[in-house]
Amino acid sequence: MKKLMIFCITLVLFNCNSNAQKEKKTSFKVSKTDAEWKAELSEIEYNVLRKAGTERAFSSPLNKNSKKGTYVCAACGTPLFKSEHKFDSGTGWPSFDREIKGNVAFGKDSDLGYSRDEEHCATCGGHLGHVFNDGPKNTTGKRHCINGAALKFISE
């Protein structure tokens, strides 16, 4: 019985962290070597966009940005979010209630032991953040929680 219990726990742990759960496609319109990405991106941009890292909460100046314009991918310049869809979620990361359709792709992320909906740039595959169902109820109900390091802001 003890061996069966250990086997079941081991099976659950390996299934929770399986790479098979990540549905991110591997070929993108913009594709570069790791060395090319490292040369083009800052250290934090590279860590977030290429290694699926997370910046410290409240560390991005884009979190409090209230100017009108478009948020684009810091790696390839693809337009991802519009300023009119940005809101202050209080989480410490730029948050939006919707993406620009077709420019953001989704996958599953189970790195923390539970499944989350990951967002990445549909053009270059750069990791952006995650989307949750606790956004503004008067709009989409979604909270796209995005690393500021994954974005550049283009003012109107």
Side-chain angles (χ1 to χ4, degrees), residues 106-109 115-119 129-133 142:
F106 302 89
K108 293 292 179 195
D109 170 4
S115 184
R116 298 182 295 170
D117 293 324
E118 182 205 7
E119 295 185 76
H130 296 86
V131 62
F132 303 96
N133 291 317
K142 301 287 184 190

Side-chain angles (χ1 to χ4, degrees), residues 84-105:
E84 62 258 30
H85 300 133
K86 187 174 185 284
F87 67 97
D88 186 359
S89 66
T91 61
W93 290 279
S95 298
F96 305 86
D97 69 354
R98 70 197 77 174
E99 78 282 5
I100 295 176
K101 297 285 184 209
N103 293 353
V104 175

Side-chain angles (χ1 to χ4, degrees), residues 67-72 78-83 100 152-156:
K67 297 175 186 169
K68 290 187 178 196
T70 304
Y71 294 84
V72 302
T78 297
L80 302 170
F81 302 96
K82 294 183 179 178
S83 61
I100 295 176
K152 293 219 185 289
F153 180 73
I154 308 296
S155 188
E156 272 186 4

